[in-house]
Amino acid sequence: MASLSSLALSVPQHLSLLHNHNPLLLPTRKPSTSIIPCSASITTNSIATSSANWAPDSWKSKKAEQQPDYPMKEELESVLDTIGTFPPIVFAGEARKLEERLGDAAVGKAFLLQGGDCAESFKEFNGTNIRDTFRVLLQMGIVLTFGAQIPIIKVGRLAGQFSKPRSDSFETRDGVKLPSYRGDNINGDAFNEKSRTPDPQRLLRAYLQSVGTLNLLRAFATGGYAAMQRVSQWNLDFVQSSERTRQLDGAHVEFMRGISNPLGIKVSDKMDPKELVKLCEILNPTNRPGRLTIITRMGPDNLRIKLPHLIRAVREAGLIVTWVSDPMHGNTIKAPNGLKTRPFDVIRSELRAFFDVHEQEGSYPGGVHLEMTGQNVTECVGGSKHISFNDLNSRYHTHCDPRLNASQSLELAFAISERLRKKRLRTGSSDLDGLN
């Protein structure tokens, strides 16, 4: 769930979204509606549209950030025409159901668990990896259900989580300057001209991989692999805007304000409270519960300072949002060997700060957003297995940002669950309280 990802938009009446993490707005000729789990299809928002002059192609009049430069324009148009004829991957009813459940999380009656890859890759696409991540998310959901005694809404960063916004459009190594790697649906991570040139055919492969992933997830969720039905229900219809693509007058916000899918807004310590209120009013003019999820990513110290002001501004404006913590993105560091990593203890500290601030403000922490995998990787340092900087090279597989492994993910789930359990026993309430 992290930014309106590489979108392939079917302009006329429906919109087709190839994933839900980063921004790529591309006009196509033909449409199809709905949204993938972190990849997506989209339904138009009739309420917002009728009052605000929105149209499926009105985003084209705005500036679109984070767009790759495709040299093969005719091939791109052909690919987008083809994608425009494809069926949706998820459906409007699923998006509406997710919005209802996120509305419960906004008032402390449910808790969101969102997790999965920072960026999916073509190379690691196989049933074993999908199964392992699904299993860990399912286990985490069971752990959180035990502690909170409220429904756990599970959203996977899967089946379309390909593209990533970049701070720089180009990367330079040894005097060679090439386009930055933006995700497997756009270009390759190998540092050579052929790999880094945006290739439209990757959009087709991303769609097909998303379909295959979602089909397998549906089989797991409804079959014997996850027989505990109430625990294993999944909701995956979620569109997000990143820190780099949420400009009030930008193409991504213009596109998002007219669709009916639940929306996520990623917020750092740079967010001005007044701007957040304005953004919420643009994206949710009717103030529907569950439509907007605010995903905070600030680092523990900054969060304790900045988050209270955002909560107060939203409350004073009378807005209904679901507050979610992303304790990953604000805590990325560079290890001595040059690899990006995230310290487990700092991730846990940001979660503790998130819960503490909401307790202080009398608001509801509605969930967590984690970059994690079911594989036994060594990308984040710390945790009960004591992964050190020296261990990073042994199983460092990420194509983008470092992920929690299965053990670290479950350790974090137990920490959250224990805090929820103690609060429930102490007060007789399921409201969230914070980490020990």
Side-chain angles (χ1 to χ4, degrees), residues 311-374:
I311 293 173
R312 293 168 198 168
V314 168
R315 179 194 292 126
E316 290 169 5
L319 302 175
I320 303 170
V321 303
T322 304
W323 295 99
V324 168
S325 172
D326 169 3
M328 308 294 293
H329 283 87
N331 299 307
T332 305
I333 63 173
K334 183 172 286 190
N337 61 6
L339 293 174
K340 290 193 295 184
T341 188
R342 290 161 171 162
F344 181 85
D345 287 345
V346 182
I347 291 169
R348 184 167 173 171
S349 292
E350 179 158 351
L351 280 172
R352 183 184 298 116
F354 176 77
F355 291 130
D356 287 348
V357 167
H358 281 287
E359 180 183 10
Q360 163 195 316
E361 295 297 321
S363 49
Y364 298 101
V368 294
H369 176 286
L370 304 172
E371 290 188 339
M372 44 77 65
T373 177

Side-chain angles (χ1 to χ4, degrees), residues 2 9 85 121 139 196 228 249 254 285 330-332 337 362 366 391 408 420:
L9 301 188
T85 68
S121 71
Q139 292 169 338
R196 291 298 178 91
M228 297 173 64
D249 59 351
E254 173 62 21
N331 299 307
T332 305
N337 61 6
D391 296 323
Q408 292 167 327
L420 305 185

Side-chain angles (χ1 to χ4, degrees), residues 39-50:
S39 57
S41 311
I42 294 166
T43 58
T44 57
N45 184 343
S46 58
I47 298 176
T49 303
S50 62

Side-chain angles (χ1 to χ4, degrees), residues 210-381:
S210 298
V211 170
T213 299
L214 186 55
N215 283 344
L216 188 57
L217 289 172
R218 289 190 190 281
F220 285 150
T222 59
Y225 192 85
M228 297 173 64
Q229 293 301 321
R230 283 179 295 179
V231 175
S232 63
Q233 289 175 351
W234 282 70
N235 294 274
L236 302 174
D237 319 302
F238 198 70
V239 181
Q240 302 175 66
S241 180
S242 77
E243 183 79 13
R244 298 185 180 97
T245 57
R246 54 169 172 75
Q247 296 81 9
L248 296 179
D249 59 351
H252 291 83
V253 169
E254 173 62 21
F255 171 73
M256 291 173 70
R257 75 181 180 92
I259 63 176
S260 295
N261 304 76
L263 305 175
I265 304 170
K266 289 192 171 180
V267 170
S268 75
D269 58 323
K270 301 180 181 67
M271 172 61 87
D272 178 82
K274 293 181 180 178
E275 182 182 354
L276 178 59
V277 168
K278 181 62 176 175
L279 184 58
C280 290
E281 291 173 342
I282 292 171
L283 295 177
N284 191 18
T286 58
N287 205 21
R288 296 204 315 267
R291 174 155 172 83
L292 289 186
T293 296
I294 309 299
I295 305 167
T296 60
R297 43 191 293 185
M298 303 181 183
D301 295 336
N302 284 333
L303 185 138
R304 289 186 183 275
I305 296 170
K306 300 291 186 178
L307 181 56
H309 299 288
L310 299 178
I311 293 173
R312 293 168 198 168
V314 168
R315 179 194 292 126
E316 290 169 5
L319 302 175
I320 303 170
V321 303
T322 304
W323 295 99
V324 168
S325 172
D326 169 3
M328 308 294 293
H329 283 87
N331 299 307
T332 305
I333 63 173
K334 183 172 286 190
N337 61 6
L339 293 174
K340 290 193 295 184
T341 188
R342 290 161 171 162
F344 181 85
D345 287 345
V346 182
I347 291 169
R348 184 167 173 171
S349 292
E350 179 158 351
L351 280 172
R352 183 184 298 116
F354 176 77
F355 291 130
D356 287 348
V357 167
H358 281 287
E359 180 183 10
Q360 163 195 316
E361 295 297 321
S363 49
Y364 298 101
V368 294
H369 176 286
L370 304 172
E371 290 188 339
M372 44 77 65
T373 177
Q375 301 174 57
N376 185 27
V377 300
T378 54
E379 297 170 2
C380 292
V381 294

Side-chain angles (χ1 to χ4, degrees), residues 8-9 83 113 119 130 261 360 396 418:
L9 301 188
I83 292 175
L113 169 63
I130 297 168
N261 304 76
Q360 163 195 316
Y396 195 93
E418 179 63 12

Side-chain angles (χ1 to χ4, degrees), residues 391-403:
D391 296 323
L392 292 177
N393 276 318
S394 61
R395 292 182 300 279
Y396 195 93
H397 298 155
T398 182
H399 282 241
C400 195
D401 291 333
R403 304 162 293 177

Side-chain angles (χ1 to χ4, degrees), residues 23-269:
L24 161 60
L25 293 165
L26 298 170
T28 61
R29 300 272 191 278
K30 289 210 159 184
S32 65
T33 42
S34 85
I35 166 170
I36 316 173
C38 281
S39 57
S41 311
I42 294 166
T43 58
T44 57
N45 184 343
S46 58
I47 298 176
T49 303
S50 62
S51 61
N53 300 318
W54 182 88
D57 61 352
S58 59
W59 63 269
K60 292 194 288 185
S61 66
K62 309 286 185 177
K63 182 179 180 181
E65 302 288 348
Q66 297 289 328
Q67 304 304 296
D69 183 14
Y70 285 93
M72 301 155 284
K73 306 299 184 185
E74 291 186 3
E75 183 180 0
L76 175 62
E77 289 297 319
S78 176
V79 167
L80 293 176
D81 283 345
T82 299
I83 292 175
T85 68
F86 288 171
I89 300 179
V90 297
F91 302 93
E94 295 174 306
R96 287 192 291 268
K97 183 180 293 185
L98 176 58
E99 184 177 281
E100 292 174 6
R101 292 176 177 174
L102 290 172
D104 288 339
V107 294
K109 295 180 179 178
F111 189 79
L112 173 67
L113 169 63
Q114 183 177 4
D117 271 308
C118 166
E120 293 177 277
S121 71
F122 296 157
K123 181 180 179 180
E124 295 187 358
F125 174 52
N126 62 70
T128 299
N129 288 345
I130 297 168
R131 180 203 62 200
D132 289 349
T133 298
F134 177 88
R135 180 178 59 209
V136 173
L137 282 169
L138 180 62
Q139 292 169 338
M140 294 172 71
I142 294 171
V143 169
L144 293 176
T145 299
F146 171 78
Q149 293 294 300
I150 56 177
I152 304 301
I153 309 161
K154 290 168 289 299
V155 174
R157 290 170 58 96
L158 298 161
Q161 186 70 24
F162 289 99
S163 67
K164 300 289 292 183
R166 313 308 296 180
S167 56
D168 196 325
S169 297
F170 293 92
E171 179 183 359
T172 301
R173 297 184 192 177
D174 300 324
V176 178
K177 183 178 180 181
L178 294 173
S180 294
Y181 171 63
R182 289 183 175 272
D184 274 11
N185 68 328
I186 297 173
N187 58 2
D189 63 342
F191 193 76
N192 59 67
E193 184 175 1
K194 181 179 179 181
S195 176
R196 291 298 178 91
T197 299
D199 180 0
Q201 295 299 322
R202 288 175 171 268
L203 294 171
L204 289 171
R205 186 171 177 182
Y207 174 90
L208 296 174
Q209 180 168 320
S210 298
V211 170
T213 299
L214 186 55
N215 283 344
L216 188 57
L217 289 172
R218 289 190 190 281
F220 285 150
T222 59
Y225 192 85
M228 297 173 64
Q229 293 301 321
R230 283 179 295 179
V231 175
S232 63
Q233 289 175 351
W234 282 70
N235 294 274
L236 302 174
D237 319 302
F238 198 70
V239 181
Q240 302 175 66
S241 180
S242 77
E243 183 79 13
R244 298 185 180 97
T245 57
R246 54 169 172 75
Q247 296 81 9
L248 296 179
D249 59 351
H252 291 83
V253 169
E254 173 62 21
F255 171 73
M256 291 173 70
R257 75 181 180 92
I259 63 176
S260 295
N261 304 76
L263 305 175
I265 304 170
K266 289 192 171 180
V267 170
S268 75
D269 58 323

